[in-house]
Amino acid sequence: MKLKTFKSLAVASVAIAASALLGASAEAQTVVNKIKERGYVSCGASQGVPGLSRPDEKGYYRGFDSDICRAFAVALLGDKDKIRFVPLNAGQRFSALQTGEIDILSRTSTLTYTRDMVVRFVWLTLYDVDGLLVRKADNITDPKQLDGRTVCLQGGGSLTETAIQETEDEHNISMQKVYFDSTIQARDAFFGGRCDSYVTDGTAAAGQRASVAKNPDDYAIIRVGHTVEPNGVAIARGDDQLFDIVRWTVNALLWAETNGIDSKNIDEKLKTGSDEVKRVLGEEPGFGKPIGLDDKWVYNVVKQMGNYAEIWDNNLGMNSPLKVERGMNALAKDGGLNYPLPWN
């Protein structure tokens, strides 16, 4: 009797486990299915960081992070404009993923151990350091000169708080911190004269100096802290299909740059390229099947959005007002940290 009971329990346990796995598998598909059913990607954006994610006068989001997210819309739906941006501050961004308010987060978010246990970071898209904006008229050229002075910054768990703490510890100083709910409020308070300095990601600082300051030459940027901030794209945990699509879409941008393929020459490369180039660009039937996308999804992404270098140059680099050097964000063959994964 006991043996039969044990066997019955074992069978029931296997059935429950199988049911749970099937349920989890079905649930894992729901985000991609919802995106396709509703016809657009919901992307978490910043509240307005020039060069990264900021709406223009017509409400069209422009910037590096915004264009990275548009690449996902192309991969999933074939159209870069089938996307809606949801502006979020630092305290809102991860809960918005968990609750399903957004599908993908692409806005100055640094990968850390704790954060990756809450949401799932898929790929690092931008390496950055922290920068302190100061007025040249104040003759501040070194962080130690900020002892007792005010610094405007965003609260809510931003890693710039860590950079300020590191700076205080290193130089044995104490800064008066003025916290705000968003980086926009902190920025505006600084430019309005409320604080002696303003701390944010270095790339964001360059963008705000170039596009917000009345006279950018009146301001300097001082590096603070020692941490390299690996910013990436994140999704909710437990969604393998969306994870794959996001990962391999960013990979496609880097692969295209590595192989000299851009939005202008892609059609010629499709005709004259190697077997791998033709395969990845959709000439091989079934290439998109394992990931659940059209065979031409990589072609569509690069054709509409360009490669990684084009997205960088148009928003942060030489084709933008910011003129930010690639630095760590260059390809590995050029001394940077970026490289594509193989397609085989």
Side-chain angles (χ1 to χ4, degrees):
M1 183 68 178
K2 289 182 179 179
L3 182 59
K4 289 183 178 179
T5 301
F6 176 79
K7 287 182 177 179
S8 298
L9 288 172
V11 170
S13 297
V14 171
I16 291 171
S19 176
L21 285 172
L22 288 172
S25 177
E27 184 178 353
Q29 307 302 317
T30 56
V31 175
V32 172
N33 288 342
K34 285 180 180 178
I35 290 172
K36 291 182 177 180
E37 288 172 5
R38 81 164 87 97
Y40 66 86
V41 172
S42 179
C43 182
S46 75
Q47 293 175 308
V49 180
L52 293 174
S53 181
R54 184 190 191 192
D56 62 17
E57 62 278 1
K58 295 182 179 179
Y60 189 85
Y61 267 81
R62 299 189 182 279
F64 177 85
D65 289 337
S66 299
D67 280 353
I68 291 291
C69 219
R70 284 192 176 92
F72 307 136
V74 178
L76 282 157
L77 302 170
D79 187 340
K80 65 183 176 67
D81 290 324
K82 289 185 176 180
I83 190 167
R84 294 185 185 177
F85 291 96
V86 179
L88 302 166
N89 65 29
Q92 299 168 328
R93 52 189 167 174
F94 300 126
S95 60
L97 275 177
Q98 292 175 303
T99 61
E101 180 183 359
I102 60 173
D103 306 315
I104 301 169
L105 179 67
S106 181
R107 55 88 68 210
T108 53
S109 297
T110 306
L111 168 61
T112 69
Y113 172 78
T114 303
R115 291 174 177 179
D116 202 36
M117 297 302 105
V118 175
V119 298
R120 175 59 74 212
F121 278 80
V122 183
W123 194 291
L124 301 178
T125 52
L126 188 149
Y127 298 91
D128 208 349
V129 295
D130 292 305
L132 200 66
L133 262 175
V134 295
R135 299 175 187 84
K136 290 181 180 179
D138 291 335
N139 294 316
I140 298 172
T141 58
D142 191 287
K144 67 181 67 173
Q145 295 174 271
L146 288 164
D147 188 25
R149 294 197 180 223
T150 52
V151 55
C152 285
L153 70 161
Q154 176 181 249
S158 172
L159 289 186
T160 52
E161 296 178 68
T162 303
I164 291 298
Q165 185 62 56
E166 289 176 350
T167 301
E168 289 180 318
D169 293 343
E170 179 181 0
H171 298 287
N172 193 28
I173 63 174
S174 178
M175 301 172 67
Q176 297 181 37
K177 304 170 192 67
V178 183
Y179 290 99
F180 296 88
D181 291 334
S182 74
T183 186
I184 304 304
Q185 293 174 334
R187 177 203 70 193
D188 290 346
F190 167 71
F191 284 119
R194 183 170 176 183
C195 300
D196 298 308
S197 60
Y198 160 59
V199 65
T200 186
D201 296 343
T203 303
Q208 291 165 352
R209 178 177 63 175
S211 59
V212 179
K214 292 182 179 179
N215 186 359
D217 290 337
D218 289 344
Y219 299 88
I221 299 175
I222 302 173
R223 178 175 176 177
V224 291
H226 303 289
T227 304
V228 172
E229 293 204 18
N231 292 290
V233 180
I235 63 172
R237 293 179 68 88
D239 192 331
D240 288 345
Q241 186 182 18
L242 186 59
F243 183 97
D244 290 342
I245 291 169
V246 170
R247 167 191 271 180
W248 288 98
T249 297
V250 179
N251 190 71
L253 300 174
L254 293 169
W255 170 84
E257 180 186 359
T258 300
N259 286 275
I261 302 169
D262 58 37
S263 59
K264 298 179 180 63
N265 68 16
I266 190 169
D267 291 307
E268 182 62 27
K269 293 288 186 179
L270 185 58
K271 297 176 184 177
T272 63
S274 65
D275 289 343
E276 181 191 70
V277 167
K278 293 178 180 179
R279 171 176 172 261
V280 175
L281 294 182
E283 289 294 285
E284 180 181 298
F287 174 74
K289 185 176 181 180
I291 202 170
L293 298 175
D294 182 271
D295 289 345
K296 302 279 286 185
W297 70 272
V298 173
Y299 171 90
N300 293 333
V301 167
V302 178
K303 182 69 174 179
Q304 292 189 41
M305 299 309 306
N307 60 32
Y308 183 96
E310 288 179 279
I311 293 175
W312 178 279
D313 287 341
N314 290 336
N315 294 292
L316 298 170
M318 296 304 107
N319 296 334
S320 77
L322 279 66
K323 312 295 182 190
V324 177
E325 298 286 344
R326 286 279 292 270
M328 292 180 288
N329 296 287
L331 294 175
K333 67 183 184 67
D334 298 322
L337 299 176
N338 278 323
Y339 60 91
L341 303 174
W343 292 98
N344 56 331

